[in-house]
Amino acid sequence: MSNNTGNTIVAILVGAAIGAGIGILFAPDKGSKTREKIKDGFDDAKHNLQDKFHDVSEKLVGKAKDLIGKDDIDGNYQNIVSSLSHKTEDVISFLENKLAELKLKNAKFQK
């Protein structure tokens, strides 16, 4: 998987999460229901991202085994997993920050 493809997937997930959060904020529901929907959407996005990370890492290991010998795979796998793990954490942190911003905006609308 190329770095460009990985960045595209991350961008799509982040855009979808932000769009869903904004859409929920403007829905005609009580604030508590809106916050619950945002939290559920965030949790779903987080779990989906973790699942995709796991799937991608398994696919990378499979392809790496085909391309290189077993001895080289362990080191390369650890480097790849570490890199993807950092990207996943960055996306999760970004989503958490956006969720906090959306909660603040929602609180202003509730006043």
Side-chain angles (χ1 to χ4, degrees):
M1 175 187 272
S2 71
N3 192 26
N4 191 24
T5 304
N7 289 339
T8 302
I9 291 171
V10 170
I12 289 171
L13 290 173
V14 170
I18 291 171
I22 291 172
I24 290 171
L25 282 176
F26 290 105
D29 263 341
K30 292 171 74 176
S32 58
K33 287 184 181 180
T34 301
R35 285 187 294 279
E36 186 63 31
K37 286 180 182 178
I38 290 172
K39 182 185 176 301
D40 290 345
F42 175 74
D43 289 342
D44 289 343
K46 181 178 174 182
H47 292 299
N48 286 340
L49 186 60
Q50 289 172 336
D51 290 343
K52 289 189 186 304
F53 170 73
H54 181 70
D55 292 344
V56 167
S57 65
E58 286 181 358
K59 287 179 183 177
L60 286 173
V61 169
K63 288 185 179 186
K65 285 180 181 178
D66 292 342
L67 296 174
I68 12 182
K70 173 71 173 132
D71 296 333
D72 295 335
I73 290 175
D74 292 332
N76 289 334
Y77 174 73
Q78 293 302 323
N79 290 337
I80 291 169
V81 168
S82 176
S83 175
L84 289 174
S85 179
H86 290 299
K87 287 183 181 184
T88 302
E89 290 300 320
D90 290 344
V91 170
I92 290 172
S93 295
F94 176 79
L95 289 172
E96 288 172 340
N97 290 337
K98 286 299 176 183
L99 179 61
E101 290 175 18
L102 291 171
K103 284 182 179 180
L104 287 174
K105 288 180 183 178
N106 186 38
K108 288 179 185 177
F109 285 126
Q110 298 300 319
K111 290 182 181 180

